[in-house]
Amino acid sequence: MTKELPAPTLLSPELLDEAYEQRLLERIRAGDRTACAECIDLHSAGVYRLALRMVGDPHEAEDIVQETFLNAFRTIDSFEGRSSLSTWLYRIAYNAALMRLRKKQPLHVSIEPYVDEEETATTPVQLFDWCCLPEEDFQTAEARNELERAIGELPEPLRAVFVLRELEGLSTEETAQALDLSVSNVKVRLHRARLWLRERLSGYFTELAQRSQERN
Amino acid sequence: MDAAVSHHTCKELLVSLSDYLDGEAAEALCAEIERHLADCEDCRVVVDTLRKTILLYRTLPPPSPPQTIRARLLHALELDKDAP
């Protein structure tokens, strides 16, 4: 039997309430400014987190949040409700982040669907069992920084899938809608992101575990 | 010590690991994976460290937006002014 892993828990109850979202949308379309502020309160943190993980810079992430809501309220009439409002907002933010990344690295970032699936295929080479480390070693500021750095270094085609599915708690289908990918592509990318992170973190935790063994 | 997981069965198992850890693999596949893990130390390490990796990032505190972001956003969208 597999041990149960905790589910991502960032979704608030309002985000899951379809009737509430429908009323909110109607109010935004009717020009209700309080509804726009409510929408911002509900969704800006998630949009910010995605933007930050994508571009890695808090100021730029804030610009993307602003761009996202400006764009969303301006085009709210074109939102057909085939996805949830949050999925639509994530999609706008993702595209805005991608445009910025493309401007910075025009040769390396593509807005086209990911085609070279083998590019980031991950065959495990780190085979030291670092799970033996005491729990407090996983909870240090250094370990958390290492994990943050690793997430920031995830190959771009894997990063958005990882953030939406694993950190923001979207379903596979919602992630696929937000990023305009197929469900199977989301699953493949998520799996590769996990293996990539395991490999990347193994370097750090193996060294820590070996140092600890030498001391004892 | 570093070495690549390269055995054919190991590579096949690797493809299904996420489904297995997410509890989405079929019962027969789970049984097959568990049989393999009982005999393959390398794959057991990969499974355990992958599970630990998932646990670590799922319990990582999320980054907080700057406290001023709401006010700046409302101002930029002109939502902080009185309605006409």
Side-chain angles (χ1 to χ4, degrees), chain A residues 178-191:
Chain A
L179 304 179
D180 199 17
L181 297 170
S182 67
V183 164
S184 61
N185 202 318
V186 167
K187 285 185 173 180
V188 168
R189 289 190 196 200
L190 176 61
H191 183 54

Side-chain angles (χ1 to χ4, degrees), chain A residues 33 41 62 127 166 191, chain B residues 14 18 57 70 72 81:
Chain A
R33 295 148 67 92
D41 288 341
E62 203 174 325
L127 298 173
E166 289 290 69
H191 183 54
Chain B
L14 197 64
S18 274
Y57 65 62
R70 184 180 190 274
R72 283 209 287 264
K81 295 175 184 163

Side-chain angles (χ1 to χ4, degrees), chain A residues 17 63 74 124 140 152 163 169:
Chain A
D17 184 341
D63 288 345
R74 197 181 291 142
T140 62
V163 171

Side-chain angles (χ1 to χ4, degrees), chain B residues 61-81:
Chain B
S64 302
Q67 288 187 339
T68 50
I69 194 172
R70 184 180 190 274
R72 283 209 287 264
L73 198 50
L74 293 182
H75 182 70
L77 298 171
E78 299 184 349
L79 293 169
D80 57 349
K81 295 175 184 163

Side-chain angles (χ1 to χ4, degrees), chain A residues 1-3 5-8 10 33 36-37 40-41 44-45 48-49 52-53 62 65-66 69-70 73 122-131 135 138-139 144 147-148 151 162 165-167 187 191 194-195 197-198 201 205 210, chain B residues 1-5 11 14-18 20-24 34 42 44-46 48-66 68-70 72-74 76-84:
Chain A
M1 285 298 287
T2 58
K3 289 173 203 157
L5 289 160
L10 289 173
R33 295 148 67 92
C36 293
I40 286 168
D41 288 341
S44 59
Y48 175 81
R49 288 190 296 265
L52 182 65
R53 302 279 197 203
E62 203 174 325
V65 174
Q66 196 166 304
F69 283 97
L70 259 172
F73 294 147
T122 312
T123 301
V125 291
Q126 298 268 6
L127 298 173
F128 185 88
D129 189 354
W130 43 267
C131 295
E135 194 50 37
F138 295 111
Q139 305 305 330
R144 287 184 171 171
L147 183 49
E148 283 288 356
I151 292 170
F162 174 80
R165 183 75 186 90
E166 289 290 69
L167 303 182
K187 285 185 173 180
H191 183 54
R194 285 171 165 183
L195 289 174
L197 280 175
R198 189 209 74 89
L201 289 175
F205 285 122
Q210 286 173 338
Chain B
M1 199 57 59
D2 292 356
V5 166
K11 283 191 168 181
L14 197 64
V15 174
S16 312
L17 273 194
S18 274
Y20 173 69
L21 291 174
D22 289 338
E24 291 175 2
E34 276 153 23
D42 286 351
R44 188 197 59 74
V45 170
V46 172
D48 286 350
T49 50
L50 184 60
R51 182 186 286 119
K52 187 68 184 175
T53 299
I54 296 171
L55 188 69
L56 287 177
Y57 65 62
R58 286 199 180 162
T59 51
L60 186 69
S64 302
T68 50
I69 194 172
R70 184 180 190 274
R72 283 209 287 264
L73 198 50
L74 293 182
L77 298 171
E78 299 184 349
L79 293 169
D80 57 349
K81 295 175 184 163
D82 290 332

Side-chain angles (χ1 to χ4, degrees), chain A residues 197-213:
Chain A
L197 280 175
R198 189 209 74 89
E199 202 65 24
R200 168 69 174 71
L201 289 175
S202 288
Y204 171 77
F205 285 122
T206 296
E207 208 185 308
L208 211 60
Q210 286 173 338
R211 274 209 309 264
S212 162
Q213 278 179 357

Side-chain angles (χ1 to χ4, degrees), chain A:
Chain A
M1 285 298 287
T2 58
K3 289 173 203 157
E4 203 163 312
L5 289 160
T9 52
L10 289 173
L11 295 177
S12 68
E14 290 90 343
L15 292 176
L16 303 171
D17 184 341
E18 282 180 31
Y20 169 81
E21 181 166 300
Q22 202 47 49
R23 282 196 303 277
L24 185 66
L25 271 170
E26 284 164 14
R27 289 167 55 210
I28 296 171
R29 287 192 176 114
D32 180 342
R33 295 148 67 92
T34 321
C36 293
E38 230 171 284
C39 177
I40 286 168
D41 288 341
L42 208 50
H43 297 287
S44 59
V47 169
Y48 175 81
R49 288 190 296 265
L50 171 65
L52 182 65
R53 302 279 197 203
M54 288 300 293
V55 298
D57 176 76
H59 298 292
E60 221 177 333
E62 203 174 325
D63 288 345
I64 291 171
V65 174
Q66 196 166 304
E67 226 175 291
T68 300
F69 283 97
L70 259 172
N71 199 349
F73 294 147
R74 197 181 291 142
T75 59
I76 194 81
D77 287 331
S78 69
F79 175 62
E80 295 171 355
R82 280 186 293 211
S83 67
S84 69
L85 182 57
S86 65
T87 303
W88 186 59
L89 291 169
Y90 280 130
R91 188 188 178 100
I92 298 172
Y94 170 69
N95 285 331
L98 219 49
M99 292 302 280
R100 282 167 184 261
L101 289 173
R102 197 169 61 153
K103 272 184 198 162
K104 284 185 201 164
Q105 303 166 301
L107 296 176
H108 302 292
V109 180
S110 168
I111 57 168
E112 296 302 315
Y114 184 42
V115 284
D116 190 0
E117 295 290 359
E118 292 310 310
E119 190 186 348
T120 49
T122 312
T123 301
V125 291
Q126 298 268 6
L127 298 173
F128 185 88
D129 189 354
W130 43 267
C131 295
C132 56
L133 276 166
E135 194 50 37
E136 56 263 30
D137 283 353
F138 295 111
Q139 305 305 330
T140 62
E142 188 188 79
R144 287 184 171 171
N145 287 340
E146 192 64 24
L147 183 49
E148 283 288 356
R149 258 198 302 279
I151 292 170
E153 289 168 14
L154 266 170
E156 185 277 321
L158 309 182
R159 207 181 316 146
V161 166
F162 174 80
V163 171
L164 291 183
R165 183 75 186 90
E166 289 290 69
L167 303 182
E168 294 301 315
L170 266 63
S171 67
T172 304
E173 289 74 17
E174 288 168 330
T175 305
Q177 280 179 335
L179 304 179
D180 199 17
L181 297 170
S182 67
V183 164
S184 61
N185 202 318
V186 167
K187 285 185 173 180
V188 168
R189 289 190 196 200
L190 176 61
H191 183 54
R192 288 191 174 151
R194 285 171 165 183
L195 289 174
W196 191 97
L197 280 175
R198 189 209 74 89
E199 202 65 24
R200 168 69 174 71
L201 289 175
S202 288
Y204 171 77
F205 285 122
T206 296
E207 208 185 308
L208 211 60
Q210 286 173 338
R211 274 209 309 264
S212 162
Q213 278 179 357
E214 281 165 17
R215 275 198 305 269
N216 299 325

